[in-house]
Amino acid sequence: MQRVSNTNMDQEPTEHNAVSPTWPKFLLAVLTLLGVFKGRPLDACRPCYDCRHKRVDGDKSKVDTNCGAESRSDENRNMENNQEADGSSRPDCAVCSSLLWNADGKIVKDCSKAVPGWLNSRMCGVLSNLLVLILLGCSTFTLGWYVVTMWGQVRNINHLVSFFTSVDIISGVVLVCTLSNAVQYCHRGPVLDWSWYDILNQDYILRRLRCLAGRRFPLPKKVFLIFSLVWLLGNYTMQVGIQGRHHSSRIINDSVMPIGNSSVHLMRSAPTAFTILRTAMGISVSIISLAIYTCFWYNILIMRTALTAELNLVIVFIKRNTGNLDLCRRRVFEVDHDFRILHGLLATLMPFIVASSVLGLTVHITWNYEIYSEKDKDIAKRNLLINISIFTSKCFALILPLLAVGGINIDVIWQQFNYALMRQRNSLHEEFWERLLGFTAELQDERKAGHNLMLFLSLISLYLGRNLPEQRLDYTLDH
């Protein structure tokens, strides 16, 4: 877990305009596959909350709508946002200026070079979102096919649950991407609330990545990428080997069948063709879905790392403005706004993934006990490759989110932020630090991590996974 540190906190950021460097190509590919870019201009010059809601001409019944009235065009809204964030409307707002700091402490307003124009196009956005939508539909079809074919067969519950607990995790992530992108198409305004669906908003991601990019922007978290890609390659190899071996045996069985029994041959040939088509679609969906699953959690890891980097910048801001309680509270509120977006998503998604993974692993371990307790040892040998593939896939679906989040939730980041603030307190501004730390603690107490739900679901998963009736043990057979 990356800690919030006070490195170079005594060095004040150099406040002059800088240009955002081009993002790493692999990171651009990840964001494109997730459907982040939709052909809209990159604009992360969001003013602070007070500047967005300042009073107009002393009339307290009115609120300044410079950040986006729905009746205005997107072009006018972006222009007004940029003007206000640039300080043209409130040049004395230190909070707005600090929101534009990059990793080097410089103010970055121009992000036009971050993403190539041909990549940030409507056509590219439509194609990437269409791919995610097709993947969601194919995953839903595969789940439905398994439920229909195995429904009412008690001896196939083990197989059904084992498959379901793997696909529903990946499909859940694909659904999150689909809903998030759908909302972005419907809502063109800036990110002003704490909704989880803004996790793939391009302006939100741009603000996060600005905290990681300085004069140069190397690809972050390379070890995580290498680990994920190696694991993915291993899973792909095993799945192709399993499917090829399975269908080879099916073709051999059909070929040795008596030629005279034409009616049986016709009955079996059609299902075989359908099974080959279904399996081919299943392999394709599996390859694409695992890739999107990996890209999603890599993006979450980058967002978590960027939030940690911004919290470092917030500490720098607080040190520069020690004693000004209202100003520091406003800056903490701004980073809490973006923190809640990521926290709100993970507070629901992580309990679901952990509980489903516990159920899947419990069922799989129980199945292993059964096949290795059988007198017929050929069952274990025939299912060895399938056994390894299922186990590694389930571990991959669980370990990848845990590594990306740094545990069950990201609350530890805020705790380390509080510890870093505590190290800065001094007797000269005792009341200031006391009230500021109380404010950050209140913000943390408002967020619920979902531990009780995760524990409850995990216990149910353990019970259900262990108490299954007698099951079909040989996964290599169709019936």
Side-chain angles (χ1 to χ4, degrees):
M1 183 68 187
Q2 185 177 354
R3 295 188 175 185
V4 175
S5 62
N6 58 355
T7 305
N8 298 328
M9 286 184 181
D10 295 331
Q11 300 178 3
E12 296 185 0
T14 304
E15 299 204 3
H16 63 272
N17 295 343
V19 178
S20 175
T22 303
W23 295 347
K25 294 181 179 179
F26 190 90
L27 180 58
L28 289 173
V30 168
L31 298 177
T32 302
L33 188 60
L34 294 176
V36 173
F37 306 121
K38 301 175 178 65
R40 298 173 185 172
L42 297 174
D43 176 29
C45 297
R46 183 196 68 181
C48 69
Y49 182 86
D50 281 8
C51 290
R52 295 197 305 267
H53 298 80
K54 64 181 180 180
R55 306 299 180 182
V56 179
D57 298 330
D59 188 352
K60 296 184 178 181
S61 63
K62 297 181 180 180
V63 177
D64 187 10
T65 56
N66 282 342
C67 274
E70 293 183 359
S71 59
R72 300 181 183 179
S73 65
D74 293 336
E75 183 178 356
N76 291 335
R77 181 187 299 117
N78 290 333
M79 182 181 300
E80 291 171 351
N81 285 344
N82 285 330
Q83 290 175 352
E84 192 165 12
D86 292 347
S88 58
S89 60
R90 289 193 63 181
D92 58 335
C93 184
V95 177
C96 290
S97 297
S98 67
L99 293 176
L100 301 176
W101 289 354
N102 68 355
D104 296 332
K106 299 178 181 179
I107 293 180
V108 177
K109 301 176 182 178
D110 185 4
C111 298
S112 58
K113 296 182 179 180
V115 181
W118 63 269
L119 189 61
N120 186 20
S121 62
R122 291 189 177 183
M123 180 61 67
C124 186
V126 169
L127 291 177
S128 58
N129 282 279
L130 184 61
L131 176 64
V132 175
L133 187 61
I134 292 175
L135 175 60
L136 180 63
C138 292
S139 300
T140 304
F141 169 79
T142 306
L143 282 173
W145 187 88
Y146 263 83
V147 171
V148 170
T149 55
M150 295 185 178
W151 185 259
Q153 303 177 24
V154 178
R155 61 194 304 267
N156 285 325
I157 293 179
N158 194 358
H159 193 182
L160 178 61
V161 172
S162 181
F163 174 82
F164 194 85
T165 51
S166 294
V167 177
D168 69 341
I169 293 176
I170 298 177
S171 299
V173 168
V174 177
L175 180 62
V176 167
C177 296
T178 303
L179 294 177
S180 178
N181 289 321
V183 172
Q184 307 313 320
Y185 275 110
C186 298
H187 177 69
R188 293 177 175 267
V191 181
L192 300 178
D193 53 11
W194 293 293
S195 301
W196 63 267
Y197 50 73
D198 289 320
I199 192 65
L200 293 182
N201 185 293
Q202 68 176 18
D203 293 340
Y204 175 79
I205 293 176
L206 180 58
R207 293 200 309 273
R208 301 279 62 74
L209 295 182
R210 179 166 49 196
C211 298
L212 292 180
R215 187 173 60 87
R216 299 177 61 244
F217 189 11
L219 182 65
K221 300 300 179 182
K222 296 179 182 179
V223 175
F224 179 88
L225 279 178
I226 295 174
F227 168 79
S228 302
L229 293 177
V230 170
W231 204 328
L232 274 178
L233 182 61
N235 279 334
Y236 290 159
T237 303
M238 283 187 290
Q239 288 180 11
V240 172
I242 290 171
Q243 297 297 337
R245 181 178 178 181
H246 175 66
H247 288 292
S248 296
S249 62
R250 288 287 303 271
I251 293 174
I252 293 175
N253 291 335
D254 289 345
S255 63
V256 300
M257 193 172 53
I259 298 178
N261 195 352
S262 58
S263 60
V264 176
H265 179 72
L266 290 175
M267 292 174 61
R268 294 190 60 180
S269 60
T272 300
F274 174 76
T275 303
I276 292 176
L277 178 61
R278 176 183 58 82
T279 304
M281 185 180 68
I283 293 177
S284 301
V285 169
S286 177
I287 292 175
I288 300 174
S289 62
L290 285 177
I292 291 181
Y293 187 79
T294 303
C295 291
F296 176 83
W297 288 112
Y298 178 66
N299 179 58
I300 294 296
L301 175 61
I302 299 301
M303 297 299 101
R304 176 174 70 88
T305 306
L307 278 172
T308 304
E310 183 173 1
L311 288 171
N312 282 325
L313 296 176
V314 172
I315 294 176
V316 175
F317 179 87
I318 292 174
K319 288 201 65 179
R320 296 180 61 190
N321 297 276
T322 301
N324 192 334
L325 181 61
D326 291 338
L327 194 65
C328 293
R329 279 179 173 175
R330 286 170 54 194
R331 185 61 184 91
V332 172
F333 178 82
E334 294 299 325
V335 72
D336 178 73
H337 168 275
D338 289 346
F339 186 88
R340 284 172 182 264
I341 293 176
L342 183 58
H343 183 277
L345 172 65
L346 298 179
T348 302
L349 191 58
M350 287 303 294
F352 166 73
I353 289 177
V354 172
S356 297
S357 299
V358 169
L359 176 59
L361 287 171
T362 304
V363 169
H364 187 64
I365 292 173
T366 303
W367 174 72
N368 270 269
Y369 269 98
E370 295 293 338
I371 64 173
Y372 284 100
S373 299
E374 282 287 314
K375 296 180 179 180
D376 184 6
K377 300 300 181 182
D378 290 337
I379 295 181
K381 293 180 180 179
R382 287 196 302 269
N383 289 269
L384 179 61
L385 189 59
I386 296 178
N387 192 354
I388 297 175
S389 177
I390 293 175
F391 182 75
T392 55
S393 297
K394 293 183 181 303
C395 290
F396 181 79
L398 175 62
I399 293 176
L400 204 66
L402 293 177
L403 290 177
V405 177
I408 302 299
N409 58 71
I410 58 172
D411 283 341
V412 65
I413 300 177
W414 198 264
Q415 294 172 0
Q416 291 168 351
F417 172 62
N418 281 331
Y419 295 152
L421 287 179
M422 291 178 184
R423 292 195 296 269
Q424 307 304 319
R425 64 186 302 174
N426 53 71
S427 58
L428 295 178
H429 301 88
E430 186 66 33
E431 183 180 359
F432 165 80
W433 288 111
E434 190 71 26
R435 297 179 68 179
L436 181 62
L437 288 170
F439 178 69
T440 58
E442 289 177 5
L443 292 177
Q444 182 177 1
D445 291 340
E446 292 177 1
R447 295 186 290 265
K448 303 298 181 182
H451 290 121
N452 295 333
L453 174 63
M454 184 186 64
L455 180 61
F456 176 73
L457 294 176
S458 298
L459 290 176
I460 293 179
S461 298
L462 281 172
Y463 176 80
L464 293 176
R466 185 64 187 90
N467 292 272
L468 291 176
E470 183 177 353
Q471 298 294 301
R472 175 172 65 89
L473 301 180
D474 197 344
Y475 284 176
T476 61
L477 301 178
D478 291 334
H479 302 287

